[in-house]
Structures are given as C-alpha cells and as structure tokens.
C-alpha cells in the first residue's frame, strides 16, 4: 500500500496491492486520524472482499467521511444508529467513525466495501436481510465455532427500523449467512447470493432449493 496525503484535507489517495485506487475524502476537514485508520484498514479489507466475491469488481473506490451528523443524514440518509452507508458512487462514514475502536471500524469498512463491490450485480429488489447477512459475514471476524441456524429469519422491515430490534435482526441475518458457509461452504453462500439477490433473481425459497438442494424451512426453526 502507498498512502499520499495532500496539503488540502481532501482527498487522500490509497493504492492497494491489488491495483485499486481509493479516494478518501473528509468533508469536515478535521478527520485526519480517522482517514489514516481507514487507509490502514483498506488493503486487508479489499483482500477480504475479493476472497469472497472474486476480483472482478470496481478498481476505483470512493470513501467519504461526513463532517457532521446533519450532513450524514442529508447526503447518506443515515441516522444516529448507522455507522456508514453505500451507494453505487461511494461509501460514506458517519463522523462517529472517528470514535470507533479498531475492530468495529474494520467490520464496518469490510461490510460496506462488500456492498460497494457487489452493487453492480445486486438487484434493487434483492432481499435486504440476505444482502446484509452476507455483508456481515464478509465484515465480521470468523466465528470461533459454528453458530448454527438462527431461530427465525429477520425481515427487511426489522433491518430498516431504528431501535434495539435492529441489532438483533442483523445478528440473525449474519447467523444465517454464517450457517450456510459453515454447512455448505463459502462458495455456496456466494452462489446463493447471486441466485437470490442478483439481477433477475429467484425468490429465496427457490434459490435455496436450486443452490443448496434444501428447503428454506430446514435452515431455521421458523422461516420468515
């Protein structure tokens, strides 16, 4: 990795070992430490995303650090309980990124970078609970032991509703993705994502049958 910082607070440029170029932009002009930490995490983050998704994703990456909560809400649609959001054009971090510990920052960056990498191949009507579960599988550290299937699958509404239930919904989405990877293999999880979330995708029940040769009802105690 090479890291270039200009005299101006924006942009910073990160060149990763696999030849990708990231522009990291601080809209507030005061997040230098946060930008340095994101830059330091980027090479391993791109490796993690490529290890799961494959190398054929965008070579240019734009990461923006919002200067205020109001700016984050206006430009990214993120609320107080959202660390970062991703669009086809960029990943935007909340100003709260400056206070994240290293483990949380690493997880959020990898999670959002997966969304960024998969965006072109993900349908607008893809099931959110599965896209978020797979992104968390890529972003979170590997579980020490297989966690098993979730008791019941989250709904897209639970994932979109601020409050204590949202974190639990994300945990269950991650648990489902982790269970598939542990039971059927990481390649099957990727294939399920493509079948259930890609353009022209099948419904999840059909995708599970076609990719895994199983019924969705067997993968959790109470499917959605």
């Amino acid at each position: 990795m090479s890291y270039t910082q200009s005299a101006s607070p924006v942009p910073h440029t990160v060149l990763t070992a696999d030849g990708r170029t990231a522009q990291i932009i601080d809209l507030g002009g005061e997040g230098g430490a946060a930008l340095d930490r994101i830059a330091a995490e980027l090479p391993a983050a791109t490796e993690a995303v490529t290890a799961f998704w494959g190398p054929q994703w965008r070579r240019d990456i734009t990461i923006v650090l919002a200067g205020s909560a109001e700016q984050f809400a206006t430009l990214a649609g993120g609320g107080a309980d959202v660390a970062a959001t991703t669009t086809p054009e960029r990943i935007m971090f909340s100003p709260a990124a400056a206070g994240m510990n290293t483990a949380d920052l690493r997880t959020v960056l990898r999670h959002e970078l997966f969304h960024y990498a998969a965006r072109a191949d993900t349908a607008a009507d893809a099931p959110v609970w599965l896209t978020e579960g797979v992104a968390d599988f890529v972003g979170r550290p590997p579980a020490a032991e297989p966690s098993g299937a979730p008791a019941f699958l989250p709904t897209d509404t639970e994932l979109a509703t601020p409050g204590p239930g949202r974190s639990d919904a994300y945990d269950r989405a991650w648990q489902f993705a982790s269970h598939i990877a542990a039971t059927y293999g990481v390649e099957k999880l990727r294939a399920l994502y493509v079948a259930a979330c890609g353009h022209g995708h099948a419904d999840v029940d059909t995708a599970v049958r076609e990719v895994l040769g199983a019924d969705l009802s067997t993968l959790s105690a109470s499917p959605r």
Side-chain angles (χ1 to χ4, degrees):
M1 174 189 79
S2 66
Y3 177 50
T4 303
Q5 179 173 344
S6 64
S8 170
V10 293
H12 300 281
T13 300
V14 176
L15 304 176
T16 63
D18 64 353
R20 301 181 200 276
T21 301
Q23 298 292 326
I24 309 178
I25 303 166
D26 177 15
L27 295 182
E30 299 177 356
L35 298 190
D36 288 345
R37 294 173 65 208
I38 291 170
E41 290 291 340
L42 254 178
T46 58
E47 289 177 7
V49 169
T50 295
F52 177 80
W53 191 243
Q56 301 306 314
W57 54 282
R58 289 181 60 166
R59 311 297 294 176
D60 60 303
I61 304 166
T62 301
I63 299 175
V64 178
L65 179 63
S68 67
E70 294 76 16
Q71 190 178 62
F72 183 58
T74 299
L75 297 180
D81 64 338
V82 176
T85 65
T86 298
T87 69
E89 293 78 31
R90 68 192 176 195
I91 297 167
M92 178 171 277
F93 277 86
S94 159
M100 286 183 187
N101 62 43
T102 298
D104 287 347
L105 182 66
R106 178 177 300 135
T107 295
V108 171
L109 177 59
R110 294 182 183 200
H111 176 111
E112 298 300 334
L113 193 62
F114 170 74
H115 282 317
Y116 188 82
R119 178 73 62 174
D121 299 304
T122 302
D125 64 344
V128 177
W129 69 270
L130 186 54
T131 65
E132 294 299 332
V134 172
D136 256 10
F137 173 79
V138 175
R140 295 191 190 193
E145 297 181 1
S147 55
F152 55 98
L153 300 178
T155 66
D156 290 357
T157 299
E158 287 178 304
L159 290 165
T161 303
R166 183 187 237 171
S167 177
D168 177 69
Y170 267 88
D171 285 345
R172 284 183 279 125
W174 165 80
Q175 191 177 354
F176 176 84
S178 298
H179 176 65
I180 298 304
T183 305
Y184 297 93
V186 173
E187 288 299 320
K188 286 292 188 180
L189 177 61
R190 183 186 186 281
L192 179 62
Y193 184 98
V194 172
C197 302
H199 300 292
H201 62 84
D203 61 82
V204 177
D205 297 79
T206 300
V208 166
R209 285 195 299 271
E210 292 179 347
V211 174
L212 305 180
D215 290 328
L216 185 59
S217 61
T218 67
L219 301 180
S220 71
S222 178
R224 58 194 293 275

